[in-house]
Amino acid sequence: MHSKKLKIYNTLSRNKVFFEPLKPPHVGMYVCGPTVYGDAHLGHARAAITFDVVYRYLSYLGYKVRYVRNITDVGHLEADADEGEDKIAKKAKLEQLEPMEVAQQYATSYHRDMELLNTIRPSIEPRATGHIPEQIRLVEQILDEGLAYEVNGSVYFDVLAYNEIKKYGRLSGRVVEELMSGSRELDGQSEKRNPLDFALWKKASPEHLMKWESPWSLGFPGWHLECTAMSSKYLGSQFDIHGGGMDLMFPHHECEIAQGNACNHTDPAKYWLHNNMITINGQKMGKSLGNFITLQQLFQGNHERLEQPYSPMTVRYFILTAHYRSTLDFSNQALQAAQKGYKKLINGYRIARSLVYQEDATMSTDEKQVGQIRQSIDAAFASMDDDFNTAQATGHLFNLLKKINSLYTGQLQAAQLGEKVFEELIQTFCTFVSDILGLQEEKGDHQEQLLQVILDLYGGAKTARDYQKVDQIRAGLKAAGLIIKDMKEKIDWGYEE
């Protein structure tokens, strides 16, 4: 069922192109994961949910996707530079822990939050510290190619030598000459030949906590090298999709491209996908800027910028309301609107699964309704085929939801659609909500049974004309964010929208 219509925006070529995997039906996708030295925030959620949806949609189309997302647990220095303290080691010193305790603690909390957001675990989740031998071999290869040099036990990639073979800066649109004029040496303190050169291997200072033996020194790998080692190990020298946040485009992904060409004489990925940033008042949200809101703070509502808690599915829906390449500005108003939108869709999902087709030979097909449903179904898939546009796809789902609600209330009869169109409507809506967008109901294990008991009590009070009890039950459910739906033939409940 592979879509021949799927187009994706390739950052490398700067245009939308038809998606054609290298070895169909197999797809290799590598996504840069977290550096685990703090709790996950809204920015982490955006990257994870973006590529979760890419993974889900490609899988829906029938591709066999190997999804690799790494965990960085060494080598990521402060300010993403080649000098300074390791982010994890710095946290370890502050908390008087071993660096691997810090990495484990925050990897665990990251997984907890991603599970709450209903993201599917990657096929493989390698850690940088588990691939030191592979990284050392890559450094040796790049040295053999004459595109790196060793000085005082550290090894640096030679950007100018590489630039003579293949242009450095193709992904981000940077020009080496402009980068050179915009940078300067720090009073001769740097051991690099050129300020654009980046570390492949760094000799560790005596106080550095994480270090390994290598042919050059007791040291640690460069941050950029780690992803090249892990992606090529599990996906080969060239694979289909490399994803990550837009903030990683330069220098991280640019350096990966350079390393891949130096080692394997090919760009590591055919397509480069970058999700845009979450902003607060127009400024990028991030740990380094100190303006971030952790996911747990969002879920619990305990941050000065939050007017209330927002559930994991509200946060997921909020992220899906914008195209992944657009900026998404945080505000309570936007999250409150997302909360309403999520509840409408999930109410529709509950209703859709309860509807059963009933034949009625006396009814003729309503061609206008059928046409509208088919148009919305086609438009929803066309939106996803247009660079995974979840924002547009969701709009078309609400058109389908109107039809589902009409079937539910009896304004529209299933027989007016015919069994085939009725099934298409239900299946498409449920598939989108659950399988493609990854939304799910948020409720306790016994909520359904408890609600049925309450609805039975409500029905009994209504039959007995005990209106005080009727109002009491309604008010109690409303306080819990639920409403009672009184209909001619049945009593049901829903989320308050």
Side-chain angles (χ1 to χ4, degrees), residues 163-377:
N163 195 56
E164 291 177 10
I165 303 165
K166 199 116 180 181
K167 289 297 179 188
Y168 179 80
R170 289 180 296 126
L171 181 69
S172 59
R174 312 286 176 104
V175 178
V176 164
E177 290 73 20
E178 292 174 6
L179 289 168
M180 289 280 289
S181 64
S183 62
R184 58 186 177 85
E185 289 291 349
L186 299 175
D187 302 322
Q189 291 176 7
S190 176
E191 57 191 13
K192 299 179 189 177
R193 291 178 185 170
N194 185 291
L196 298 185
D197 295 347
F198 55 89
L200 298 173
W201 185 267
K202 284 289 288 181
K203 181 180 180 180
S205 59
E207 68 274 9
H208 201 90
L209 293 177
M210 292 187 278
K211 45 199 169 191
W212 292 262
E213 290 284 356
S214 80
W216 314 285
S217 65
L218 188 65
F220 56 92
W223 174 39
H224 313 306
L225 185 74
E226 298 169 358
C227 284
T228 297
M230 291 183 282
S231 63
S232 59
K233 179 178 175 70
Y234 297 109
L235 298 173
S237 58
Q238 189 178 43
F239 48 92
D240 296 294
I241 296 172
H242 194 311
M246 200 169 279
D247 57 333
L248 297 175
M249 193 188 304
F250 187 87
H252 187 53
H253 291 163
E254 201 72 76
C255 294
E256 282 188 65
I257 289 176
Q259 290 165 166
N261 277 281
C263 293
N264 304 310
H265 309 289
T266 181
D267 287 342
K270 186 176 180 182
Y271 305 100
W272 290 79
L273 274 63
H274 291 92
N275 65 277
N276 215 319
M277 301 296 100
I278 300 263
T279 55
I280 296 183
N281 299 325
Q283 187 183 36
K284 176 202 160 188
M285 177 185 288
K287 288 181 195 169
S288 57
L289 295 170
N291 66 346
F292 64 94
I293 300 173
T294 70
L295 291 172
Q296 284 299 312
Q297 286 171 329
L298 271 165
F299 301 157
Q300 295 163 22
N302 59 355
H303 189 281
E304 60 184 12
R305 291 182 183 267
L306 299 173
E307 294 176 6
Q308 65 179 75
Y310 298 101
S311 73
M313 286 301 100
T314 295
V315 172
R316 185 178 178 103
Y317 182 86
F318 167 65
I319 287 167
L320 296 175
T321 57
H323 187 269
Y324 75 90
R325 286 191 291 113
S326 305
T327 54
L328 179 58
D329 201 50
F330 161 86
S331 71
N332 281 282
Q333 291 77 12
L335 278 161
Q336 286 158 8
Q339 188 175 50
K340 289 181 180 178
Y342 158 69
K343 286 182 176 179
K344 282 180 180 174
L345 276 188
I346 214 67
N347 272 336
Y349 180 67
R350 283 187 59 253
I351 290 166
R353 287 183 301 159
S354 72
L355 295 175
V356 179
Y357 183 79
Q358 290 181 323
E359 190 65 66
D360 188 339
T362 64
M363 285 191 174
S364 57
T365 304
D366 188 328
E367 296 296 344
K368 183 181 177 183
Q369 295 282 353
V370 166
Q372 289 173 346
I373 288 168
R374 286 202 161 129
Q375 186 177 19
S376 293
I377 289 172

Side-chain angles (χ1 to χ4, degrees), residues 38 59 76 93 98 107 110 138 155 190 201 204 210 228 240 261 283 306 312 320 378 397 445:
S59 299
H76 195 171
K93 286 177 185 175
E98 281 289 325
Y110 177 80
L138 282 182
V155 183
S190 176
W201 185 267
M210 292 187 278
T228 297
D240 296 294
N261 277 281
Q283 187 183 36
L306 299 173
L320 296 175
D378 290 344
L397 286 190
D445 294 340

Side-chain angles (χ1 to χ4, degrees), residues 82-223:
D82 286 335
E83 306 295 335
E85 202 167 4
D86 185 293
K87 294 182 178 186
I88 292 170
K90 183 179 179 181
K91 188 79 169 180
K93 286 177 185 175
L94 282 172
E95 298 188 6
Q96 296 185 308
L97 297 170
E98 281 289 325
M100 286 301 100
E101 280 184 278
V102 170
Q104 186 62 34
Q105 175 186 331
Y106 289 112
T108 299
S109 70
Y110 177 80
H111 289 141
R112 173 202 62 201
D113 291 344
M114 294 307 111
E115 192 171 317
L116 289 170
L117 291 169
N118 198 32
T119 62
I120 299 169
R121 283 278 186 106
S123 319
I124 303 171
E125 194 173 48
R127 294 192 180 208
T129 53
H131 296 77
I132 300 297
E134 290 88 346
Q135 292 170 73
I136 289 171
R137 281 198 295 274
L138 282 182
V139 177
E140 289 172 333
Q141 280 182 261
I142 298 171
L143 281 166
D144 289 344
E145 293 285 341
L147 295 175
Y149 56 91
E150 185 263 334
V151 54
N152 299 329
S154 293
V155 183
Y156 295 98
F157 190 93
D158 192 333
V159 170
L160 292 185
Y162 169 77
N163 195 56
E164 291 177 10
I165 303 165
K166 199 116 180 181
K167 289 297 179 188
Y168 179 80
R170 289 180 296 126
L171 181 69
S172 59
R174 312 286 176 104
V175 178
V176 164
E177 290 73 20
E178 292 174 6
L179 289 168
M180 289 280 289
S181 64
S183 62
R184 58 186 177 85
E185 289 291 349
L186 299 175
D187 302 322
Q189 291 176 7
S190 176
E191 57 191 13
K192 299 179 189 177
R193 291 178 185 170
N194 185 291
L196 298 185
D197 295 347
F198 55 89
L200 298 173
W201 185 267
K202 284 289 288 181
K203 181 180 180 180
S205 59
E207 68 274 9
H208 201 90
L209 293 177
M210 292 187 278
K211 45 199 169 191
W212 292 262
E213 290 284 356
S214 80
W216 314 285
S217 65
L218 188 65
F220 56 92
W223 174 39

Side-chain angles (χ1 to χ4, degrees), residues 4 9 11 35-36 58-59 82 100 138-139 141 153 155 158 198 266 268 301 344 375 388 409 440 444 447 462 469 487:
K4 300 294 184 186
Y9 184 86
T11 311
T35 301
V36 282
L58 290 174
S59 299
D82 286 335
M100 286 301 100
L138 282 182
V139 177
Q141 280 182 261
V155 183
D158 192 333
F198 55 89
T266 181
K344 282 180 180 174
Q375 186 177 19
F388 310 102
T409 58
Q440 61 183 4
Q447 181 177 317
K462 206 176 159 199
K469 179 65 72 178
M487 288 170 286

Side-chain angles (χ1 to χ4, degrees), residues 309-477:
Y310 298 101
S311 73
M313 286 301 100
T314 295
V315 172
R316 185 178 178 103
Y317 182 86
F318 167 65
I319 287 167
L320 296 175
T321 57
H323 187 269
Y324 75 90
R325 286 191 291 113
S326 305
T327 54
L328 179 58
D329 201 50
F330 161 86
S331 71
N332 281 282
Q333 291 77 12
L335 278 161
Q336 286 158 8
Q339 188 175 50
K340 289 181 180 178
Y342 158 69
K343 286 182 176 179
K344 282 180 180 174
L345 276 188
I346 214 67
N347 272 336
Y349 180 67
R350 283 187 59 253
I351 290 166
R353 287 183 301 159
S354 72
L355 295 175
V356 179
Y357 183 79
Q358 290 181 323
E359 190 65 66
D360 188 339
T362 64
M363 285 191 174
S364 57
T365 304
D366 188 328
E367 296 296 344
K368 183 181 177 183
Q369 295 282 353
V370 166
Q372 289 173 346
I373 288 168
R374 286 202 161 129
Q375 186 177 19
S376 293
I377 289 172
D378 290 344
F381 282 110
S383 297
M384 290 303 295
D385 283 340
D386 183 15
D387 195 28
F388 310 102
N389 196 330
T390 56
Q392 281 188 5
T394 304
H396 299 303
L397 286 190
F398 278 108
N399 291 333
L400 295 178
L401 178 57
K402 288 175 188 173
K403 305 302 180 188
I404 288 166
N405 284 334
S406 294
L407 287 166
Y408 182 57
T409 58
Q411 291 172 284
L412 178 65
Q413 299 300 315
Q416 291 176 274
L417 305 178
E419 189 170 7
K420 184 181 178 186
V421 174
F422 172 83
E423 294 295 343
E424 278 181 24
L425 167 64
I426 302 303
Q427 185 178 10
T428 301
F429 184 83
C430 290
T431 296
F432 257 91
V433 171
S434 178
D435 298 347
I436 296 173
L437 298 182
L439 298 169
Q440 61 183 4
E441 285 192 75
E442 295 178 311
K443 60 184 183 181
D445 294 340
H446 307 296
Q447 181 177 317
E448 201 79 51
Q449 295 95 316
L450 287 170
L451 282 168
Q452 191 53 56
V453 171
I454 292 168
L455 291 181
D456 289 345
L457 290 170
Y458 175 86
K462 206 176 159 199
T463 302
R465 299 189 177 183
D466 184 350
Y467 298 118
Q468 185 178 353
K469 179 65 72 178
V470 165
D471 291 343
Q472 186 182 1
I473 294 171
R474 273 187 174 279
L477 284 176

